Amino acid sequence: MKLKVRVVHYRCHGRDCWYADIDDADDRQPDDPYWYADGCCSQSEAITLACAQLAALEQAAGPLTRISESQVAA
């Protein structure tokens, strides 16, 4: 499986924020990623968090769980 990181800039309550998520590169619907971070203060922070999560996913070497699947299990 090929994973991709998506980083998005947006304004929230008058301040700049960044969002990052990790999803399957072939998934055409980005509404249910494997991981996300919202409200990052900078692009650098969002990218750093995503890279750390990619490394953790690689170390886990098990089946990936989408956000919606993990919320059902909680």
Side-chain angles (χ1 to χ4, degrees):
M1 172 187 308
K2 292 182 183 179
L3 297 177
K4 67 177 177 181
V5 171
R6 179 175 62 130
V7 177
V8 178
H9 175 249
Y10 65 98
R11 301 270 304 160
C12 181
H13 302 291
R15 68 180 184 97
D16 290 325
C17 294
W18 295 85
Y19 167 92
D21 70 18
I22 297 173
D23 204 352
D24 181 349
D26 296 326
D27 185 1
R28 299 176 64 84
Q29 297 290 331
D31 59 344
D32 193 15
Y34 293 110
W35 172 90
Y36 75 94
D38 195 9
C40 298
C41 296
S42 68
Q43 182 183 36
S44 177
E45 178 187 6
I47 292 170
T48 299
L49 288 171
C51 288
Q53 186 62 32
L54 278 173
L57 290 172
E58 181 180 39
Q59 291 298 316
L64 297 178
T65 304
R66 292 193 176 275
I67 295 297
S68 64
E69 295 167 345
S70 64
Q71 291 173 348
V72 171

